[in-house]
Amino acid sequence: MARRSKNQAKRNGGRGVPGWIWLLGGLAGGVLIAAVLLVRNGGDVKQLLPKPDPEARAPVAADEPVAQDAPEPRKPKYDFYDVLREREVVIPDAELNAQAQREAAAPADAAPPANADTVRYLIQAGAFRSAADAEALKARIALAGEIARVESAQTDTGTIYRVRLGPYPNAGALAAAKRTLGSHGIEAMAIRAE
């Protein structure tokens, strides 16, 4: 391997002014300008600062009140997702596990609860601003053996893409799916929608 000479290491081919000289020149120029301003003002730094205007007056409010139309009361805007949000309840893990144990302990021929037809169990694995991020999580869930879907929702700040699974027939099936996701490193929320 050939050895490089010291001439190859020089930048700009040995021509030009080094950067440190430009830095020192800029600093010296700034100090020179500051010194000229101080000498021109007699060495008083306070003269360089802005001065208050003694003739300035605060704006005077008009003697007659200006009649303003009363703003119309805001009508409530009902959005499909707002209605759902009020009907969805996040189920804490302890409550979900207790419900699953009660279902498992109940006899097989026992009648289902009265609200079993109206209650839906869902899992929300994530909510994203980017549809691509939501689709990536959906693919990870598919590798875990579960089927997910991406739902878009409009909010005040824009579109949110939610990754959801379900509905599940009961809390036991929901808890099992949530455990499967957890074993693959996917954190999720259990939701009961009525």
Side-chain angles (χ1 to χ4, degrees):
M1 181 181 284
R3 230 175 137 184
R4 295 185 181 189
S5 68
K6 290 183 181 180
N7 291 337
Q8 288 180 339
K10 289 184 179 178
R11 300 204 185 265
N12 298 329
R15 293 173 273 137
V17 180
W20 63 271
I21 292 179
W22 283 106
L23 176 68
L24 289 178
L27 288 173
V31 169
L32 180 65
I33 290 172
V36 168
L37 287 175
L38 281 175
V39 169
R40 199 171 98 195
N41 290 322
D44 190 10
V45 176
K46 290 184 180 180
Q47 288 183 356
L48 295 175
L49 300 175
K51 296 167 186 55
D53 184 7
E55 296 178 14
R57 301 283 181 243
V60 179
D63 294 337
E64 298 176 16
V66 177
Q68 294 182 358
D69 294 335
E72 292 183 29
R74 286 186 78 182
K75 296 179 183 176
K77 179 184 173 191
Y78 293 106
D79 192 8
F80 177 73
Y81 294 101
D82 291 334
V83 174
L84 280 182
R85 190 177 301 123
E86 294 170 1
R87 299 187 62 135
E88 292 178 349
V89 178
V90 175
I91 306 171
D93 287 341
E95 183 182 331
L96 178 64
N97 292 334
Q99 177 67 26
Q101 287 176 355
R102 281 193 300 271
E103 288 174 359
D109 59 346
N115 65 349
D117 294 335
T118 60
V119 174
R120 294 184 331 139
Y121 292 104
L122 304 169
I123 292 179
Q124 181 165 319
F128 303 94
R129 297 229 177 261
S130 164
D133 292 340
E135 290 294 333
L137 180 58
K138 179 181 169 185
R140 281 184 56 206
I141 291 170
L143 291 174
E146 296 289 330
I147 298 172
R149 67 186 174 284
V150 176
E151 298 175 353
S152 63
Q154 294 296 324
T155 65
D156 294 339
T157 58
T159 303
I160 299 289
Y161 299 94
R162 301 184 296 188
V163 181
R164 289 195 161 182
L165 294 83
Y168 294 97
N170 54 38
L174 175 69
K178 192 168 185 291
R179 278 193 302 273
T180 300
L181 293 177
S183 69
H184 286 84
I186 300 170
E187 293 184 31
M189 282 189 315
I191 299 173
R192 178 176 48 236
E194 297 179 7

